[in-house]
Amino acid sequence: MVAIRLPDGSTKNFPGAVTGAEVAAAIGPGLARAALAMKIDGALADLKTVIARDAAVEIVTAKSPEALGLIRHDAAHVLAQAVQELYPGTQITFGPAIEDGFYYDFARNDTFTPEDFPKIEARMREIVDRNLDIAREVWSRDDAARHFAQIGEKYKAEWVREIPDGEDISIYRQGDWLDLCTGPHLPSTGKLPKAFKLTKVSGAYWRGDARNAQLQRIYGTAWASEEQLKAYLTRLEEAERRDHRRLGREMNLFHLQEEAAGAVFWHPKGWTLFRTLESYVRMRLDRDGYAEVKTPQIVDRKLWEASGHWDKFKDAMFLATPRAEGAAAEDGGRVYAIKPMNCPGAVQIFKQGLKSYRDLPLRLAEFGACHRYEPSGALHGIMRVRAFTQDDAHIFCTEDQITAESIRFCDLLRSVYADLGFTDVHVKFSDRPPVRAGTDAIWDKAERALEEASKAAGLETTRNPGEGAFYGPKLEFVLRDAIGRDWQCGTLQVDFVLPERLDATYIGEDGQKHRPVMLHRAMLGSFERFMGVLIEHFAGRLPLWLAPVQAVAATIVSDADAYAREAVAQMQANGLRVELDLRNEKIGYKVREHTLAKVPLLFAIGRREAEKRTVALRRLGSEAQETLALDEAIAKVRNEAQVPRAAR
RNA sequence: GCCGCCGUAGCUCAGUGGUAGAGCACGUCCUUGGUAAGGACGGGGUCGAGUGUUCAAUUCACUCCGGCGGCACCA
């Protein structure tokens, strides 16, 4: 007898081994129809799996949180079958479920284009209509390897050989189509909702390695219902509306052009935002015990060789040599590199003069402009550029101070993010990468120190194996934006390696030389990227204190021009970023324009206002008007526009 | 860097083997209008760059540059 415990606490007894489908049927015909898979003692399994012992079983339906993953994984298989039916000779490789959808990687000589999608989607629907039974089989390694080799699936054959001993080699059969897959899967293709859509094709490397063959990846999205699919497509449109490249142009913040690919031309408004952000961060650092420095832009490559960056990153560095005849020789044949990062420079400042343990921790901040030759395919708007400014700082401290400094930084970071409108932050812990500097003993120490520190700072971290910097492990702070997207911005890295390589020392209490530890840290990461994130997070509707143009004073009739000028001058004298719109246009036109430009405040000034020395205030996103005396309006707006924590 | 797609006016986009068009924006004039587009007229393009095919290339081919979507990379 087999006793099956159900989620509601009840137990159903069966005379012998049962399948999930039978359990579902025993509960009710509705559930039997809706069943997609099950969980046996919490582990996801096919409905056809035979349960031979007592267990807790939960039937998974389209409403279960696990359903989307199953649906997407099945959609990937149906896609693969459709593609192989339509394009014989195409090899299959991998096709997992991913966030919001799925993909499948194919090897084929001809290329897929989006024009192929309608045909493939139609075939996918047809496969759903065929309602093919999906069943798991366990094969021997030899049989599986032989089978895939025989039918020309060399990627599958390769993979079969690498499945560890002791693991089942499971094959899913869907009609007469087979795939090597761990599952689980829906009981038949007919259970797959038709709420899917192919979205894009791209290249992808076999096993994620650029040295391997490039495959063709077809992406799709799949949902439990048409409504969900529609909602997803709407979400994509929303993301497109927020695109910082589009808003940057529309709001006249910046532009990019090919003579300086990967570098930003900041327009007055964009630069105003940049400066506002910079001075805010500077204020926070000033108040948190940092000293700001500035290090050279062009530095002899010897320094980068010493730091280890040359070895690892020389291909991504810009070089600079004097151009004048004979100058290079006169200069001792030096080769300079434009700095790709600030840390070696910070170490040079630390090394000036003897440092005592009494000087530690020493927090050196730098708004460092760095240049890196990023691969052309990596460039993306202002989010991934070749010239950027970090809100960088290096904290030189003793090992004992790591924890306290980490806590202090995390506190600052949380508060800064909150001021900037981000409260949903999670933290990744990236440990030692395969290629690294420093001994394992040093890495053990560094990882332990960072773990302790992050625990002490009250952070919950998820592990990110092998993703640390070459000189040390790091915490990465990921912000979730208004529409649920994640952006990695802040970082905290523990570094025992660079102080050693660049020979930084301090004199300890014992009168002996010691190595300081270096903490590399950034909050925004790069201003360029962070500004892109801000723009997208707020959809261009920046909070008043950040808005490059906080208000526009727009006249209704030209008789009000003189008063409007005076009002704007007063506002500007009070530190508000206000523009004057005296154009020969109707107020409706001006309202529309400034609304589209996402200016937070609009002061309409007509004859009435000029006579009574008032302004009619309209706020972005509202149609209400509020008439205020000029002085009152200035006081009010000034208060609202205050930089967070600026008041003393 | 790799795969695919794209590059026509400031922006969004039509279009053609015989050297180009719309809407918005811009300029001038009229209009002084009370909260999301008032009217008239006008200027504006080496059709990304180069090479080739052709009597003729913005259109076809190739190379390069840049952009977009992924992949890889990200000190």
Side-chain angles (χ1 to χ4, degrees):
Chain A
M1 194 155 97
V2 173
I4 300 295
R5 285 188 313 285
L6 299 172
D8 67 358
S10 67
T11 300
K12 275 207 182 310
N13 294 315
F14 293 86
V18 283
T19 66
E22 286 161 357
V23 172
I27 299 169
L31 186 63
R33 272 194 305 276
L36 299 180
M38 67 173 158
K39 283 164 89 174
I40 307 172
D41 292 331
L44 219 46
D46 295 334
L47 277 181
K48 295 190 177 80
T49 303
V50 175
I51 311 163
R53 314 177 279 191
D54 294 0
V57 169
E58 187 185 335
I59 301 299
V60 172
T61 68
K63 292 190 179 112
S64 312
E66 296 83 4
L68 282 177
L70 289 163
I71 286 170
R72 289 170 184 159
H73 190 181
D74 268 54
H77 276 214
V78 171
L79 163 65
Q81 183 176 1
V83 163
Q84 288 203 306
E85 287 182 5
L86 290 168
Y87 308 95
T90 302
Q91 290 185 68
I92 50 175
T93 66
F94 277 99
I98 53 172
E99 196 176 354
D100 298 330
F102 61 92
Y103 67 76
Y104 209 109
D105 286 346
F106 300 99
R108 178 185 176 223
N109 290 334
D110 296 331
T111 54
F112 292 110
T113 73
E115 276 96 76
D116 298 323
F117 289 175
K119 195 168 144 193
I120 301 172
E121 284 171 354
R123 181 60 68 105
M124 288 172 71
R125 282 193 202 93
E126 194 196 314
I127 292 169
V128 172
D129 288 336
R130 280 184 225 158
N131 195 18
L132 302 170
D133 190 62
I134 301 175
R136 181 174 188 269
E137 300 170 6
V138 176
W139 291 22
S140 76
R141 186 185 307 271
D142 287 348
D143 286 350
R146 201 176 312 118
H147 170 78
F148 286 117
Q150 205 169 42
I151 62 172
E153 296 282 2
K154 63 174 194 163
Y155 294 94
K156 286 289 177 190
E158 178 182 331
W159 194 250
V160 165
R161 274 179 247 121
E162 299 193 23
I163 294 175
D165 283 335
E167 237 171 71
D168 281 352
I169 293 177
S170 69
I171 303 287
Y172 275 82
R173 186 185 289 276
Q174 164 173 312
D176 54 7
W177 186 82
L178 299 180
D179 195 0
L180 174 70
C181 180
T182 52
H185 276 282
L186 307 182
S188 71
T189 60
K191 294 284 185 188
L192 178 65
K194 285 182 187 164
F196 54 74
K197 185 172 161 39
L198 301 181
T199 51
K200 52 199 172 198
V201 263
S202 79
Y205 299 106
W206 168 237
R207 307 177 80 163
D209 191 327
R211 290 167 300 191
N212 289 342
Q214 191 156 35
L215 308 168
Q216 295 186 67
R217 175 171 297 180
I218 298 181
Y219 282 92
T221 185
W223 299 85
S225 67
E226 279 298 326
E227 296 77 68
Q228 285 180 18
L229 173 61
K230 209 169 282 174
Y232 170 71
L233 297 174
T234 308
R235 187 145 58 86
L236 286 190
E237 285 166 23
E238 173 61 23
E240 209 178 309
R241 268 194 294 279
R242 286 166 180 260
D243 192 311
H244 74 280
R245 294 165 297 193
R246 174 200 190 118
L247 290 173
R249 189 177 54 237
E250 287 175 2
M251 296 170 72
N252 197 11
L253 300 176
F254 59 83
H255 83 271
L256 300 156
Q257 67 184 52
E258 61 178 277
E259 289 80 358
V264 185
F265 288 79
W266 290 108
H267 296 11
K269 286 174 188 161
W271 191 244
T272 298
L273 173 56
F274 191 111
R275 285 194 303 142
T276 305
L277 200 55
E278 185 187 50
S279 63
Y280 164 76
V281 173
R282 177 172 285 130
M283 172 190 79
R284 299 303 310 267
L285 293 177
D286 285 348
R287 291 184 190 180
D288 207 48
Y290 288 81
E292 187 176 326
V293 299
K294 200 77 173 175
T295 65
Q297 212 58 41
I298 298 177
V299 179
D300 194 316
R301 76 181 240 190
K302 287 196 183 82
L303 185 62
W304 309 109
E305 285 169 349
S307 70
H309 291 97
W310 183 266
D311 235 20
K312 195 156 169 27
F313 295 110
K314 57 176 177 293
D315 288 346
M317 285 163 77
F318 286 97
L319 294 186
T321 45
R323 173 73 183 79
E325 185 99 15
E330 200 176 285
D331 199 34
R334 285 171 195 267
V335 174
Y336 297 90
I338 301 173
K339 74 170 171 183
M341 29 111 61
N342 309 303
C343 19
V347 175
Q348 304 317 304
I349 292 179
F350 179 85
K351 285 170 66 178
Q352 286 305 110
L354 278 186
K355 292 291 182 296
S356 151
Y357 70 95
R358 294 174 194 278
D359 296 320
L360 306 183
L362 182 62
R363 310 185 188 93
L364 297 181
E366 177 169 9
F367 296 106
C370 298
H371 291 75
R372 298 176 184 173
Y373 189 79
E374 299 286 357
S376 58
L379 301 181
H380 178 85
I382 63 172
M383 299 271 205
R384 185 84 185 267
V385 285
R386 289 181 176 150
F388 55 94
T389 311
Q390 291 178 311
D391 66 320
D392 207 358
H394 299 91
I395 301 172
F396 295 86
C397 64
T398 66
E399 284 178 39
D400 292 344
Q401 291 167 334
I402 294 174
T403 302
E405 285 304 307
S406 299
I407 293 171
R408 186 183 178 121
F409 173 64
C410 291
D411 288 346
L412 175 66
L413 193 63
R414 257 190 289 260
S415 147
V416 165
Y417 285 164
D419 285 351
L420 292 168
F422 297 95
T423 46
D424 192 347
V425 181
H426 71 266
V427 188
K428 295 192 289 188
F429 186 106
S430 296
D431 58 21
R432 65 190 78 186
V435 180
R436 57 182 178 261
T439 62
D440 284 353
I442 282 180
W443 275 90
D444 288 342
K445 193 156 77 171
E447 286 175 358
R448 212 176 315 121
L450 191 57
E451 264 166 48
E452 269 169 34
S454 64
K455 207 169 291 167
L459 302 177
E460 276 186 33
T461 59
T462 55
R463 201 79 176 188
N464 209 201
E467 297 292 321
F470 77 91
Y471 50 71
K474 56 186 180 185
L475 295 180
E476 285 159 343
F477 297 86
V478 181
L479 308 183
R480 177 149 298 174
D481 77 4
I483 56 171
R485 297 172 302 176
D486 287 341
W487 305 97
Q488 189 174 307
C489 295
T491 183
L492 172 64
Q493 309 172 6
V494 176
D495 180 4
F496 287 88
V497 174
L498 274 188
E500 175 87 35
R501 289 192 165 227
L502 297 176
D503 194 28
T505 58
Y506 68 92
I507 307 298
E509 265 176 285
D510 56 5
Q512 303 295 306
K513 281 189 178 178
H514 296 273
R515 288 270 175 240
V517 179
M518 232 171 131
L519 304 180
H520 306 240
R521 40 106 299 167
M523 299 191 286
L524 310 185
S526 98
F527 279 87
E528 286 75 6
R529 176 176 161 80
F530 196 83
M531 286 171 66
V533 172
L534 270 182
I535 291 166
E536 300 206 357
H537 176 59
F538 289 113
R541 298 182 164 210
L542 295 161
L544 193 57
W545 72 278
L546 283 171
V549 179
Q550 296 173 314
V552 169
T555 50
I556 298 168
V557 291
S558 48
D559 285 352
D561 286 5
Y563 169 68
R565 274 197 181 80
E566 191 192 330
V568 164
Q570 264 191 53
M571 291 178 188
Q572 286 169 340
N574 276 276
L576 296 169
R577 298 186 289 269
V578 187
E579 286 185 351
L580 181 58
D581 184 355
L582 299 179
R583 289 176 307 168
N584 175 15
E585 295 292 352
K586 293 189 177 170
I587 191 64
Y589 182 90
K590 294 184 182 183
V591 166
R592 176 182 155 82
E593 262 208 353
H594 301 304
T595 300
L596 290 175
K598 305 182 202 303
V599 174
L601 304 173
L602 183 78
F603 297 110
I605 298 179
R607 214 167 267 127
R608 288 205 297 271
E609 286 74 17
E611 278 163 14
K612 295 189 181 151
R613 300 190 63 79
T614 58
V615 290
L617 172 60
R618 176 188 170 118
R619 292 170 188 273
L620 184 62
S622 155
E623 286 174 23
Q625 296 172 48
E626 189 183 4
T627 302
L628 297 164
L630 178 58
D631 294 347
E632 197 187 340
I634 290 174
K636 185 169 183 158
V637 170
R638 218 183 125 158
N639 185 45
E640 289 176 21
Q642 226 169 72
V643 173
R645 288 163 230 270
R648 291 268 182 182

